[in-house]
Amino acid sequence: MRMSRMLIPTLREDPADAESISHKLLVRAGYIRKISAGIYAYLPLAWRVLKKIEDIVREEMDAIGGQEVLMSILMPKEMWDETGRWDLYGDEMFKTKDRKGRWFCLGPTHEEQITALVRDNVSSYKQLPVIFYQINTKFRDELRPRFGVIRGREFIMKDAYSFHTSVDDLKKTYDDMYRAYSNIFRRVGLDAEAFEADSGAIGGKMSHEFLVPAEYGESEVVKCEKCGYKATIEVAHAPYKKVDYPPSDKPIEKVHTPGTHTIEQLAEFLGVEPSRIIKSMLYMVDGKIVMVLIRGDYEVNETKLAKVLDASEVRLLTPDELDEMGLVKGYISPYAVKDKDIKIIADESVQDVKDGVIGADETDYHYIHFNIDEFDVEYVDIRQVNDGDACPVCGAPLKRYTAIEVGHIFNLGTRYSEPMGATYLDENGQRKPYIMGCYGIGISRVMATIVERSHDENGIIWPISVAPYHVIITVLDVKKDDIMTVGEEIYKALTDAGIETILDDRDLRPGVKFKDADLIGIPFRIVVSKKTVSSGEYEIKDRKTGEVFKVSKDEIVPFLREKIYGQ
Ligand code: ATP
Ligand code: MG
């Protein structure tokens, strides 16, 4: 393709709204354009990358027996009412009405539709197991769309669903998927790692997230470099640091603590360690208020909290709700709930704090010499694990880092088949609900994640497997017919050899053309100029390593074929 005819609108400046590297580079290199918050158009180069990622995904899904389908994006409300998710899904679901006033949604995910399709078209155990997948656009009205296409409101996902007669059978497909996902991420050049995940409200024991370490990731994980223990922050455990604050013989005392808005300020004001301060918080847990206590040097992990309380929703009370109870955020104590029917749960680390500091249920006041033992408290592990905390297996310091979730596989059990009456006939003619698994990969997020992991100060560095083109021929002196002719000859030779090539025939300064080639990240660049043509030595630069090779004209095709296909 001639670059003069292509839409590659490169920019010199980063877009003002971009935080992450991939967002900046994909816009600057002319791959994507924003249509609205979290909604992007993919320009020609991006579409080529996406199709390459999709093809790798297809190969791996087909290899484990997946059948590709394309489900409808618009779905009627009634289908979602069958599982209760029309109401449960919440504000993330885009909803719309047709001309007759019937409600539809734009699919955020497709469990309901695939379950209905299998229920209505598969009936016998003899037809099982089955695996279906699609590559389709998903819609989620994310609270915070960010980082370009990493968290979009409209994005491309590969979603797969499998149907089984037993958990053992599901396990086989689950393991196949696990391996297929590992292959996919390796093939697209991502160092993704599987973490056992919290499967949230969906349930089931098998659940893994595939995560790629990245500065702009919104997932957090801990890992022990010594013994290999690893976990997402939602399920991570680490023994707490023991403290020894024996009970005081002094009575509890209310002290004035003006201007202390953080734990650090309060600790400094009172001359105590943050671990001696107990934070009290009120949570709404599935409609019921619960008091949660944690040490000043720790944070509550709400996923762990929801899990220990077996709750589907936990959230802090709002300032208004606290106000109605006559309380102020930051100054609450268990005395405020003493005679009320409110359960108190505390992180296990709180039990060491016998002579502690706690809010005094009044702005700017705290109690000192507080002793937790006078309350009826349930101790549980609800702490967020921090960088440097001890590994629960070997005790070495844990590393905590952010990562991008590129894929997720999980066991759905009968969460969808049961309410939807999706059953098959077993060997004995009995109706049984399908055991299901589901498996997602964010295709557009994968594209951006590759850029997060593979770039330098000059631009994107695509791995060959997903690069939009393999080679860019940068012709300098484009106005000289003899030079341009050589450029075209090389272009034809490469294209005939199946090497995907762009011919930069634009009449621009060499500096601009080199900058663009680096920015868009094509793996190999050949310079065709007066100098190279007359010397017969063509410069081929490897975008990734920066190495420059001098190759004769006849050697260009075999040299690049070897580099690209290893043959
Ligand atoms: P997240 O925790 O990032 O919101 P999720 O748990 O909601 O992800 P799933 O429902 O498991 O995600 O979706 C499967 C895959 O789709 C994810 O692993 C991710 O790669 C991708 N994905 C999810 N939400 C988005 C989004 N808003 N934009 C782009 N890709 C997404
Ligand atoms: Mg999500």
Side-chain angles (χ1 to χ4, degrees):
M1 190 82 187
R2 286 169 183 272
M3 203 156 167
S4 60
R5 316 287 308 151
M6 295 172 72
L7 178 64
I8 309 177
T10 56
L11 305 171
R12 293 289 151 238
E13 302 292 325
D14 287 333
D17 64 340
E19 294 167 82
S20 70
I21 292 146
S22 61
H23 187 184
K24 289 177 187 165
L25 285 178
L26 286 169
V27 172
R28 272 188 51 208
Y31 282 73
I32 59 171
R33 282 295 180 265
K34 182 168 158 182
I35 303 303
S36 180
I39 303 176
Y40 287 83
Y42 307 109
L43 303 189
L45 289 183
W47 185 228
R48 288 181 72 97
V49 173
L50 290 167
K51 282 190 289 190
K52 291 198 173 180
I53 298 169
E54 290 181 1
D55 284 345
I56 291 172
V57 170
R58 283 196 176 92
E59 273 177 37
E60 296 292 340
M61 289 295 105
D62 292 348
I64 58 168
Q67 302 179 61
E68 187 169 3
V69 294
L70 188 61
M71 288 185 258
S72 79
I73 291 172
L74 272 175
M75 283 178 265
K77 172 176 181 288
E78 295 71 33
M79 184 174 261
W80 288 75
D81 280 338
E82 289 187 48
T83 57
R85 281 214 295 180
W86 183 266
D87 297 321
L88 287 176
Y89 211 93
D91 293 337
E92 237 183 56
M93 190 191 264
F94 277 104
K95 295 172 177 167
T96 183
K97 270 188 204 169
D98 72 4
R99 63 172 74 202
K100 293 185 186 132
R102 276 182 70 193
W103 280 105
F104 285 78
C105 71
L106 295 176
T109 176
H110 277 79
E111 284 84 3
E112 278 77 1
Q113 188 172 154
I114 193 75
T115 306
L117 285 168
V118 171
R119 173 189 62 199
D120 299 342
N121 298 285
V122 177
S123 52
S124 162
Y125 73 96
K126 289 183 195 149
Q127 295 166 284
L128 300 176
V130 279
I131 306 170
F132 297 103
Y133 75 94
Q134 66 171 344
I135 295 177
N136 206 345
T137 300
K138 294 278 186 280
F139 295 84
R140 293 184 185 177
D141 196 359
E142 298 276 356
L143 187 60
R144 292 218 298 160
R146 20 187 348 206
F147 307 140
V149 298
I150 291 181
R151 184 168 299 284
R153 295 196 297 163
E154 174 179 330
F155 58 97
I156 306 173
M157 195 202 284
K158 184 286 298 180
D159 44 328
Y161 306 89
S162 66
F163 296 79
H164 309 267
T165 54
S166 68
V167 174
D168 282 348
D169 192 54
L170 164 67
K171 180 84 175 76
K172 284 188 212 133
T173 298
Y174 190 90
D175 292 345
D176 283 347
M177 280 287 176
Y178 187 105
R179 278 188 294 272
Y181 272 43
S182 306
N183 292 343
I184 289 166
F185 295 126
R186 183 179 36 76
R187 289 180 62 186
V188 302
L190 283 179
D191 48 348
E193 225 188 310
F195 283 75
E196 221 170 288
D198 178 70
S199 46
I202 294 165
K205 283 207 184 66
M206 287 174 260
S207 173
H208 285 89
E209 284 173 6
F210 287 78
L211 301 172
V212 175
E215 187 184 348
Y216 293 97
E218 293 183 277
S219 300
E220 285 196 273
V221 297
V222 292
K223 203 166 162 182
C224 172
E225 271 158 10
K226 193 156 167 237
C227 75
Y229 168 80
K230 58 179 181 179
T232 60
I233 205 78
E234 289 83 16
V235 295
H237 169 73
Y240 65 89
K241 290 185 211 90
K242 297 255 180 222
V243 292
D244 182 19
Y245 303 126
S248 164
D249 39 17
K250 297 195 184 119
I252 188 164
E253 185 188 337
K254 191 171 177 177
V255 290
H256 192 209
T257 54
T260 58
H261 302 296
T262 64
I263 291 291
E264 290 68 35
Q265 288 167 343
L266 178 63
E268 200 182 316
F269 183 89
L270 294 172
V272 299
E273 294 293 316
S275 54
R276 198 165 187 151
I277 300 170
I278 300 172
K279 296 187 271 189
S280 327
M281 287 155 287
L282 288 171
Y283 273 88
M284 190 61 84
V285 178
D286 286 346
K288 216 171 168 218
I289 296 173
V290 172
M291 172 161 274
V292 175
L293 308 179
I294 193 148
R295 244 167 50 182
D297 54 338
Y298 289 125
E299 298 296 328
V300 171
N301 179 310
E302 293 184 355
T303 309
K304 279 174 145 183
L305 178 66
K307 212 177 213 169
V308 297
L309 294 170
D310 197 17
S312 53
E313 199 203 345
V314 299
R315 63 160 179 87
L316 279 170
L317 290 199
T318 61
D320 284 347
E321 286 168 330
L322 289 177
D323 193 45
E324 273 172 35
M325 298 171 72
L327 297 171
V328 196
K329 180 173 174 261
Y331 299 95
I332 305 171
S333 86
Y335 293 106
V337 301
K338 201 156 189 190
D339 302 318
K340 302 195 170 106
D341 178 26
I342 291 178
K343 179 179 171 148
I344 305 176
I345 76 161
D347 183 65
E348 48 191 12
S349 60
V350 172
Q351 56 202 328
D352 287 0
V353 188
K354 304 293 184 211
D355 178 12
V357 175
I358 202 158
D361 304 311
E362 195 181 331
T363 306
D364 287 346
Y365 284 89
H366 284 87
Y367 289 122
I368 57 172
H369 310 309
F370 170 78
N371 188 353
I372 187 74
D373 288 345
E374 62 173 286
F375 293 91
D376 182 15
V377 177
E378 186 188 336
Y379 292 103
V380 282
D381 171 14
I382 48 170
R383 298 181 300 291
Q384 189 105 276
V385 175
N386 290 321
D387 195 55
D389 280 359
C391 168
V393 179
C394 75
L398 290 170
K399 253 200 139 41
R400 177 168 157 180
Y401 56 91
T402 53
I404 298 174
E405 179 193 317
V406 285
H408 193 179
I409 58 178
F410 43 88
N411 168 12
L412 295 173
T414 57
R415 162 69 182 91
Y416 296 91
S417 51
E418 204 136 26
M420 294 186 75
T423 57
Y424 64 93
L425 284 175
D426 73 4
E427 308 87 293
N428 308 316
Q430 299 272 307
R431 291 218 159 272
K432 296 253 176 72
Y434 295 101
I435 313 277
M436 292 172 55
C438 85
Y439 320 88
I441 292 183
I443 302 283
S444 39
R445 182 181 282 187
V446 163
M447 173 173 75
T449 307
I450 296 168
V451 178
E452 289 290 328
R453 295 299 286 169
S454 186
H455 64 269
D456 63 14
E457 64 283 4
N458 298 318
I460 302 170
I461 304 175
W462 291 112
I464 288 170
S465 60
V466 299
Y469 289 91
H470 300 131
V471 177
I472 179 164
I473 304 171
T474 304
V475 182
L476 310 180
D477 316 305
V478 292
K479 287 214 175 104
K480 296 208 169 65
D481 284 349
D482 51 333
I483 307 292
M484 199 57 218
T485 306
V486 175
E488 277 166 9
E489 280 167 15
I490 297 173
Y491 174 75
K492 184 166 184 318
L494 286 169
T495 311
D496 288 350
I499 294 172
E500 298 164 35
T501 307
I502 310 181
L503 182 65
D504 186 357
D505 59 340
R506 299 173 303 164
D507 186 12
L508 294 171
R509 281 185 291 116
V512 173
K513 297 176 70 141
F514 290 144
K515 268 208 165 76
D516 276 353
D518 279 350
L519 181 61
I520 66 180
I522 307 300
F524 296 98
R525 187 195 72 196
I526 307 177
V527 179
V528 175
S529 65
K530 215 160 73 188
K531 191 174 127 212
T532 59
V533 171
S534 61
S535 71
E537 276 196 328
Y538 292 81
E539 252 182 31
I540 300 184
K541 190 175 129 188
D542 181 327
R543 173 71 182 89
K544 189 169 169 191
T545 62
E547 265 177 293
V548 176
F549 304 90
K550 302 250 174 168
V551 178
S552 71
K553 198 173 159 203
D554 291 346
E555 280 302 304
I556 292 175
V557 169
F559 176 86
L560 285 171
R561 195 189 283 152
E562 158 74 29
K563 285 275 178 200
I564 294 162
Y565 299 108
Q567 62 184 32

